[in-house]
């Protein structure tokens, strides 16, 4: 038995409790939240295996929460919605959810869907961890390690490094970088990319003084220099 943790985000406590009972009975660990605005900090800290996410929540709307999670994680999300006719609309919104379940549902159905989604993602590479040369990045915890030492980065620096690191040797223009880091609380405009890159280089150079990890491609932009083998 694997004991994966399922996060239930549902403000109707009776439903949350019922789901918890069923999921625990079949061997999952369960965490529960009752407010939408608690989800992002929780997910960043604890990386659950899957999220059951209600749409109507106090604090923050489930749809907005789902979109926000997709900016930093591919963790499986099953949305819980109050009406069947809402599902078509939800699909059209391309929230990035893995499945939708309509209320009222049977807890058995939910357990079956949870298993199906986890089976589907199981075996596929987990995309929340990047490794390139001596640098390791965990997107869930926002941690970057170089030779097992932590590197303290701002959200903007983290976002930039992630984009560059995901495609080593690919040259990115400042504009492309700016577009791709929008999900990382990026502060500034394309000219500030240079400043962020400069700071990022300085931080990396403290751990790797002899390597040019991020190089400037004159007239084009920047690239990451280590192959991700
Ligand atoms: Ca609700």
């Amino acid at each position: 038995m694997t004991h994966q943790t399922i996060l239930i985000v549902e403000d109707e406590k009776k439903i949350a409790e019922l789901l918890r009972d069923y999921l625990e009975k079949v061997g999952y660990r369960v965490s529960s939240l009752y407010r939408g605005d608690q989800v992002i900090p929780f997910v960043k800290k604890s990386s659950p295996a899957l999220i059951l996410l209600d749409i109507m929540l106090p604090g923050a709307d489930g749809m907005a929460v789902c979109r926000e999670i997709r900016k930093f994680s591919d963790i499986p999300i099953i949305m819980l919605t109050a009406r069947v006719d809402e599902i078509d609309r939800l699909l059209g919104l391309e929230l990035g959810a893995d499945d939708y379940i309509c209320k009222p549902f049977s807890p058995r159905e939910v357990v079956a869907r949870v298993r199906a989604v986890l089976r589907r993602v199981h075996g596929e590479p987990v995309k929340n961890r990047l490794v390139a040369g001596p640098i390791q990045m965990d997107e869930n915890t926002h941690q970057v390690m170089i030779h097992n030492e932590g590197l303290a980065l701002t959200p903007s620096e983290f976002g930039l490094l992630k984009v560059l690191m995901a495609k080593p040797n690919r040259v990115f223009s400042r504009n492309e970088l700016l577009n791709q880091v929008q999900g990382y609380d990026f502060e500034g405009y394309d000219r500030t990319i240079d400043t962020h890159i400069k700071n990022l280089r300085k931080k990396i150079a403290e751990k790797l003084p002899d390597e040019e990890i991020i190089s400037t491609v004159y007239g084009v932009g920047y690239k990451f220099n280590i192959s991700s083998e």
Side-chain angles (χ1 to χ4, degrees):
M1 187 51 72
T2 46
H3 296 300
Q4 290 166 300
T5 299
I6 310 296
L7 171 62
I8 300 172
V9 189
E10 166 65 83
D11 57 318
E12 288 164 75
K13 299 208 176 171
K14 274 189 185 163
I15 295 181
E17 284 308 306
L18 189 65
L19 287 175
R20 171 190 283 274
D21 287 349
Y22 270 80
L23 288 165
E24 284 181 346
K25 225 181 280 173
V26 297
Y28 294 108
R29 286 200 193 116
V30 174
S31 300
S32 300
L33 295 174
Y34 307 108
R35 295 181 56 87
D37 50 5
Q38 296 169 336
V39 180
I40 303 292
F42 182 93
V43 170
K44 284 187 174 167
K45 204 177 68 197
S46 339
S47 329
L50 182 145
I51 306 174
L52 286 168
L53 181 58
D54 188 28
I55 289 179
M56 298 286 282
L57 291 164
D61 176 64
M63 292 192 256
V65 172
C66 181
R67 274 209 191 88
E68 203 53 40
I69 291 171
R70 278 294 169 265
K71 291 178 182 173
F72 65 90
S73 171
D74 287 325
I75 179 171
I77 299 174
I78 300 178
M79 305 292 293
L80 307 177
T81 166
R83 301 200 319 263
V84 179
D85 58 0
E86 233 175 25
I87 289 183
D88 275 346
R89 193 169 69 82
L90 289 171
L91 289 173
L93 292 175
E94 294 176 31
L95 297 175
D98 296 85
D99 203 354
Y100 296 88
I101 299 177
C102 205
K103 293 178 182 178
F105 44 69
S106 79
R108 273 173 220 280
E109 182 196 354
V110 176
V111 170
R113 299 277 199 103
V114 165
R115 282 183 162 151
V117 169
L118 285 174
R119 221 173 12 239
R120 206 159 67 209
V121 299
H122 182 75
E124 289 171 21
V126 181
K127 288 180 196 158
N128 52 23
R129 197 155 287 180
L130 279 175
V131 180
I135 305 183
Q136 293 177 36
M137 170 179 283
D138 187 324
E139 290 179 54
N140 284 341
T141 58
H142 267 230
Q143 270 185 328
V144 177
M145 308 286 279
I146 296 183
H147 294 315
N148 295 321
E149 276 182 67
L151 192 68
L153 300 180
T154 65
S156 301
E157 291 161 2
F158 183 92
L160 279 173
L161 182 60
K162 181 192 168 258
V163 172
L164 290 165
M165 217 176 135
K167 292 186 178 153
N169 301 319
R170 152 94 150 74
V171 181
F172 288 89
S173 70
R174 287 170 183 78
N175 211 22
E176 267 182 297
L177 288 172
L178 190 64
N179 285 335
Q180 299 218 23
V181 293
Q182 291 305 326
Y184 292 86
D185 302 328
F186 191 80
E187 290 168 24
Y189 304 95
D190 57 346
R191 268 173 228 153
T192 56
I193 291 268
D194 295 340
T195 312
H196 290 304
I197 291 277
K198 199 174 104 191
N199 295 336
L200 189 53
R201 276 178 173 156
K202 205 188 290 171
K203 287 180 182 178
I204 293 173
E206 282 169 19
K207 315 271 186 206
L208 299 168
D210 302 323
E211 294 175 55
E212 193 191 47
I213 299 291
I214 299 169
S215 58
T216 306
V217 180
Y218 185 72
V220 187
Y222 297 101
K223 66 171 188 164
F224 189 90
N225 277 322
I226 295 172
S227 68
S228 56
E229 283 156 36

